[in-house]
Amino acid sequence: MLDPRIVKLAENLLNHSVRLQEKECLLVEIRGEGHPLAKELVKQAYAKGAYPFVQIIDPSIERELMMGTDEERASYMLKWNEPKFKDIQAYIVINGPTNDSESADVPVDRRRAHHKVVQPLNDYIVSNVRWTLLNYPTPSMAQSANMSTEAFEDFYFDVCSVNYQKMHEAFLPLKERMERTDKVRLTGPGTDLTFSIKGIPSIICAGEFNIPDGEIYTAPVRDSVNGTISFNAATSYMGTRFENVKLTFENGKIIEATANNTKRLGEILDSDEGARYIGEFAIGVNPYILHPMNDILFDEKIAGSFHFTPGRAYENADNGNRSQVHWDMVNIQRPEYGGGEIWFDDVLIRKDGLFVLPELQGLNPENLKG
């Protein structure tokens, strides 16, 4: 019997996230597990009079393809995929890995060659297609979260079923304040960082592009970042897990970077010029996500967190930085993680993970639950 929570999740994805309409084309892409949700999406899309299509990717086969790829092969893939993505209006990616490290041994130069070629298509999708990316609850994810599979499924559906319309409305005062802010200061253990967000839009994320969701993002003025930041959540990128990442900035550029694997960190930051500059600053508020599980779709939404992103800026919150890298790194500022503060133009906005201004307190966990 189909879990009724999957039916409800499919409804939310089609009606709220991608807003699928009659006679529109929907592409559902499964990466690993997630077939029950894909089948329900197909069923409901047909009921709307839309045209669903499904693409299934096996992560172990994808790893094998990436092991030998180069720019010429990637150009063929780009040529074949471009017409497909320019014919669809909605795109839902279901990420259900059984092994988070399946592609950990793919050489960095192979990844770079692939991403360099396909990045223009990715940019087109982000800007022109109504897309949503979500993870599907798997035993592997439950293990990462240090939970039983059953407990993780309950957690997953709570997280994904937040009242996103209520969240959107609660974000509006913060969006207004961010868009009239010049100077931001972040403080906490190992962190004292300043930068400007003047003139760059702030984008609310409340269930449209990611599930789970719960963040608002902008970007720092490219050359304005100065100081040091330490991240207290582990982060994985290009198949490698990093802990205790610490970055030092001067006039926007990362001039020093250390971690448990400083050598690999440096290799990624040297991918291109833009990788040592920041493309995103975001504040996380999802009330059900409290601890990191080394899954960025969850970790970047942790209540009381922010993330800071070496690499490419989004076009709708653009500071001009371009890179094949976009690496969200998370700092949690709740007291059990050491605390911390966010200041906008010398006004304290959030302390130890809780918003302090009355007009922003609707974003605190007790007001977003239910």
Side-chain angles (χ1 to χ4, degrees), residues 256-276:
E256 184 177 353
T258 60
N260 63 315
N261 192 336
T262 297
K263 180 176 182 294
R264 188 68 183 270
L265 173 63
E267 289 173 351
I268 296 172
L269 295 177
D270 287 335
S271 294
D272 50 42
E273 180 186 0
R276 284 189 176 265

Side-chain angles (χ1 to χ4, degrees), residues 288-349:
Y288 291 102
I289 310 177
L290 300 178
H291 306 290
M293 48 183 282
N294 198 31
D295 183 323
I296 196 58
L297 275 182
F298 286 78
D299 293 357
E300 68 179 0
K301 317 302 190 330
I302 291 172
S305 74
F306 69 83
H307 54 275
F308 214 53
T309 307
R312 184 179 67 258
Y314 290 118
E315 291 184 6
N316 56 1
D318 198 0
N319 67 355
N321 198 43
R322 296 292 176 264
S323 175
Q324 61 184 280
V325 171
H326 183 93
W327 186 356
D328 296 321
M329 298 182 179
V330 177
N331 179 292
I332 308 167
Q333 294 186 307
R334 300 199 317 276
E336 62 266 42
Y337 286 91
E341 298 175 348
I342 298 177
W343 296 74
F344 290 170
D345 290 333
D346 299 319
V347 175
L348 180 63
I349 300 299

Side-chain angles (χ1 to χ4, degrees), residues 224-261:
S224 70
V225 186
N226 285 284
T228 298
I229 186 168
S230 299
F231 298 95
N232 54 19
T235 175
S236 290
Y237 199 78
M238 290 189 174
T240 300
R241 178 184 172 100
F242 296 88
E243 297 178 352
N244 303 315
V245 175
K246 184 176 182 179
L247 306 177
T248 300
F249 294 82
E250 186 176 293
N251 298 326
K253 186 176 182 179
I254 298 170
I255 59 169
E256 184 177 353
T258 60
N260 63 315
N261 192 336

Side-chain angles (χ1 to χ4, degrees), residues 133-311:
L133 171 65
L134 75 157
N135 282 354
Y136 192 77
T138 64
S140 173
M141 291 177 64
Q143 188 174 30
S144 294
N146 197 30
M147 294 182 183
S148 69
T149 301
E150 181 178 349
F152 181 77
E153 287 178 354
D154 291 340
F155 161 75
Y156 173 87
F157 286 110
D158 280 343
V159 164
C160 293
S161 301
V162 171
N163 185 333
Y164 284 118
Q165 185 58 46
K166 180 180 180 181
M167 179 186 286
H168 180 91
E169 292 168 1
F171 264 132
L172 292 174
L174 180 57
K175 174 181 171 66
E176 188 276 332
R177 180 171 283 272
M178 289 176 71
E179 291 185 340
R180 57 183 171 87
T181 291
D182 178 1
K183 180 185 174 183
V184 176
R185 185 182 181 196
L186 307 176
T187 65
T191 296
D192 193 346
L193 195 75
T194 61
F195 53 93
S196 172
I197 57 172
K198 185 176 182 179
I200 299 177
S202 295
I203 308 300
I204 294 171
C205 298
E208 292 86 8
F209 302 113
N210 288 167
I211 299 290
D213 215 345
E215 67 169 283
I216 184 168
Y217 69 85
T218 183
V221 174
R222 188 176 186 268
D223 299 330
S224 70
V225 186
N226 285 284
T228 298
I229 186 168
S230 299
F231 298 95
N232 54 19
T235 175
S236 290
Y237 199 78
M238 290 189 174
T240 300
R241 178 184 172 100
F242 296 88
E243 297 178 352
N244 303 315
V245 175
K246 184 176 182 179
L247 306 177
T248 300
F249 294 82
E250 186 176 293
N251 298 326
K253 186 176 182 179
I254 298 170
I255 59 169
E256 184 177 353
T258 60
N260 63 315
N261 192 336
T262 297
K263 180 176 182 294
R264 188 68 183 270
L265 173 63
E267 289 173 351
I268 296 172
L269 295 177
D270 287 335
S271 294
D272 50 42
E273 180 186 0
R276 284 189 176 265
Y277 290 82
I278 295 298
E280 180 187 0
F281 162 60
I283 297 172
V285 303
N286 193 299
Y288 291 102
I289 310 177
L290 300 178
H291 306 290
M293 48 183 282
N294 198 31
D295 183 323
I296 196 58
L297 275 182
F298 286 78
D299 293 357
E300 68 179 0
K301 317 302 190 330
I302 291 172
S305 74
F306 69 83
H307 54 275
F308 214 53
T309 307

